[in-house]
Amino acid sequence: MAGMRRLELSEALHLGPGWRHACHALLYAPDPGLLFGRIPLRYAVLMQMRFDGRLGFPGGFVDLRDGSLEDGLNRELGEELGEAAGAFRVERADYRSSHAGSRPRVVAHFYTKLLTLEQLTAVEMGAPRARDHGLEVGPAQDPTPPPPAPEGLSQLYPRVVGVWVINYSQPGLPAKILLSLLFTGLCIVFLKLSHPNHSSATTL
């Protein structure tokens, strides 16, 4: 990425008090399902709708005076994802990289954490009850019961449409609604092309 440079963790931790540290984690799990009942899946990945309408990974700024990077990251995950995030802990072994930019003086640390599909689903479903839900980010997938899958499609269909369902308590609502409706329309077109014999009365 332009303006970013990769750092070794030891170098990043000695940048000085003028730098802020942000930690984010990619939470993923093996997924044996089939997309549209045909295409084998490999992993399910948890992403969130950020305050600016973009998709990102859970986490946030941490204060090294309160403990390690991992301590701060796990606190952030608990605040954003709820009690289910307490079933696992992101450790130093899950660390992957650090990148820094000159403006603003922020260094970003990235982690990946392998979960079971049951753990990932529990986090996804419990996120709306998290302390900070709706304040900064919301789950990218709607945790409410999904719409019925069109005939011939697998139960993973809601993940394709639901990943763009927005959290209506977030700021910038009109723009996000427009984005959500646009992507939903594209999904409908894709489903029509993939399943031309399916009724046009499908409700998303």
Side-chain angles (χ1 to χ4, degrees):
M1 183 179 295
M4 300 289 290
R5 62 187 179 97
R6 182 162 183 168
L7 303 175
E8 294 297 326
L9 181 59
S10 58
E11 180 184 359
L13 292 175
H14 289 87
L15 285 175
W19 285 80
R20 302 177 69 194
H21 295 262
C23 296
H24 292 82
L26 184 157
L27 306 178
Y28 70 106
D31 191 336
L34 297 175
L35 181 64
F36 301 139
R38 300 177 180 179
I39 305 173
L41 298 174
R42 295 183 63 190
Y43 295 97
V45 177
L46 181 72
M47 298 190 74
Q48 294 180 313
M49 184 74 77
R50 292 161 30 108
F51 63 91
D52 58 3
R54 298 179 180 180
L55 291 176
F57 300 107
F61 285 105
V62 304
D63 192 337
L64 292 180
R65 294 173 298 182
D66 297 332
S68 67
L69 291 174
E70 294 76 30
D71 289 337
L73 174 56
N74 284 287
R75 278 194 297 270
E76 286 289 321
L77 295 180
E79 293 170 0
E80 294 182 8
L81 302 178
E83 294 181 0
F88 59 89
R89 178 178 167 83
V90 179
E91 303 286 0
R92 181 59 56 90
D94 302 311
Y95 167 82
R96 293 296 173 262
S97 65
S98 298
H99 289 81
S102 57
R103 288 187 173 180
R105 293 167 67 85
V106 172
V107 57
H109 307 280
F110 190 64
Y111 295 74
T112 62
K113 183 67 176 181
L114 177 64
L115 306 178
T116 66
L117 190 57
E118 291 74 19
Q119 287 176 318
L120 192 69
T121 300
V123 169
E124 181 182 54
M125 300 298 284
R129 297 186 294 274
R131 191 187 80 178
D132 286 354
H133 176 74
L135 297 181
E136 296 182 14
V137 295
Q141 179 173 329
D142 185 2
T144 58
E151 183 179 353
L153 299 187
S154 75
Q155 292 303 310
L156 289 173
Y157 157 79
R159 289 182 180 265
V160 178
V161 177
V163 72
W164 284 89
V165 175
I166 62 174
N167 173 6
Y168 289 95
S169 63
Q170 295 175 6
L173 182 61
K176 294 176 185 176
I177 291 178
L178 180 61
L179 175 63
S180 181
L181 292 176
L182 175 62
F183 193 82
T184 299
L186 292 175
C187 286
I188 294 174
V189 172
F190 176 78
L191 291 172
K192 282 301 186 183
L193 293 176
S194 301
H195 302 271
N197 296 326
H198 185 67
S199 169
S200 61
T202 300
T203 300
L204 296 184

